[in-house]
């Protein structure tokens, strides 16, 4: 008599394991923490500034930021703010709205013993608007690419940056001097890397 294979017991399905958060790293390019790797947890919409772009940016800024006052208004991974602190900035304010990202920023702050950094959970645009006029030597703007924050953030940054200071803007499109005029800013340097347009801006009329 043949055995009915259709009646054979079926193996229980293997339980599906929940997907653990994926991590990658960003690397501090120069300064006190040069070559230090910082873990970055995968997060929807999080887009760290690429190492090559940051290297170019800080070449533009002159490498040594000793004594500078900076704000990383949409901090995310904190790569820009921590890079500035690594290069000697005396005050770096990192502002981030997402609770999980703020927790990660604080872990990095402890890892680096970054005493010149201050991490604040809050709205980056509101933080920019509350800064004293001409109080910042560098303003880093890297809002989510699908946001509508760019125009307002540039207006606030133009007010907050000192006469000889810089505004860094990372955006999905290039910004022109005509578009920046109302914020009192002009393009000083620009590069395109993949989908990223990186701009270094200065106040209109400041020395190049």
């Amino acid at each position: 008599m043949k055995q009915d294979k259709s009646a054979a017991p079926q193996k229980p399905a293997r339980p599906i394991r929940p997907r653990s958060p994926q991590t990658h790293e960003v690397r501090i390019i120069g300064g006190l923490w040069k070559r230090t790797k910082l873990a970055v947890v995968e997060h929807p919409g999080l887009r760290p500034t690429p190492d090559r772009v940051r290297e170019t940016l800080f070449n533009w800024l002159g490498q040594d930021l000793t004594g500078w006052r900076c704000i990383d208004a949409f901090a995310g991974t904190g790569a820009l703010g921590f890079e500035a602190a690594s290069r000697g900035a005396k005050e770096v304010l990192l502002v981030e709205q997402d609770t999980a990202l703020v927790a990660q920023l604080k872990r990095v702050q402890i890892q680096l013993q970054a005493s010149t950094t201050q991490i604040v959970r809050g709205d980056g645009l509101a933080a920019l608007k509350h800064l004293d006029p001409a109080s910042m030597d560098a303003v880093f703007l890297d809002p989510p690419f699908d946001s509508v924050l760019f125009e307002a953030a540039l207006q606030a940054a133009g007010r907050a940056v000192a006469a000889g200071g810089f505004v860094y803007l990372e955006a999905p499109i290039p910004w022109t001097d005509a578009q920046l005029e109302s914020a009192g800013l002009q393009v000083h340097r620009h590069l395109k890397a993949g989908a990223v347009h990186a701009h270094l801006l200065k106040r209109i009329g400041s020395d190049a």
Side-chain angles (χ1 to χ4, degrees):
M1 182 177 179
K2 292 183 179 180
Q3 185 178 1
D4 183 1
K5 293 183 179 180
S6 65
Q10 299 294 315
K11 292 182 179 180
R14 296 178 64 180
I16 298 174
R17 294 183 180 179
R19 185 184 177 197
S20 58
Q22 299 297 303
T23 61
H24 58 283
E25 296 174 325
V26 293
R27 176 174 56 91
I28 292 181
I29 305 298
L32 180 63
W33 306 309
K34 184 177 181 178
R35 299 189 183 93
T36 301
K37 293 180 179 179
L38 309 177
V40 178
V41 177
E42 187 176 277
H43 189 278
L46 186 63
R47 178 188 37 78
T49 300
D51 287 356
R52 182 169 71 87
V53 174
R54 277 187 293 115
E55 184 172 13
T56 300
L57 167 61
F58 285 91
N59 284 338
W60 289 343
L61 293 175
Q63 303 289 341
D64 184 3
L65 274 56
T66 298
W68 286 34
R69 299 154 298 169
C70 309
I71 180 171
D72 190 353
F74 306 93
T77 65
L80 293 169
F82 288 122
E83 186 79 46
S86 180
R87 295 169 184 265
K90 71 175 182 179
E91 296 176 14
V92 181
L93 176 62
L94 296 98
V95 184
E96 174 54 52
Q97 199 161 30
D98 186 272
T99 303
L101 294 178
V102 170
Q104 176 64 14
L105 289 170
K106 290 182 177 179
R107 285 191 288 269
V108 172
Q109 183 185 48
I110 293 169
Q111 173 191 343
L112 299 176
Q113 299 181 19
S115 59
T116 61
T117 64
Q118 180 185 2
I119 297 167
V120 173
R121 180 179 180 272
D123 178 79
L125 180 57
L128 287 168
K129 290 179 176 180
H130 280 89
L131 293 172
D132 291 335
S135 61
M136 291 287 122
D137 298 294
V139 178
F140 301 111
L141 301 179
D142 184 11
F145 274 9
D146 60 353
S147 75
V148 294
L149 297 170
F150 287 92
E151 179 68 36
L154 284 163
Q155 293 289 333
R159 174 182 171 277
V161 70
F166 297 91
V167 175
Y168 171 70
L169 171 66
E170 198 165 307
I173 60 170
W175 282 69
T176 66
D177 285 346
Q179 291 171 301
L180 296 164
E181 185 177 4
S182 64
L185 299 168
Q186 60 188 359
V187 178
H188 181 59
R189 295 281 189 272
H190 171 266
L191 72 83
K192 183 178 186 297
V196 172
H197 287 268
H199 313 69
L200 190 64
L201 314 175
K202 297 196 75 174
R203 284 175 58 173
I204 293 173
S206 62
D207 293 333

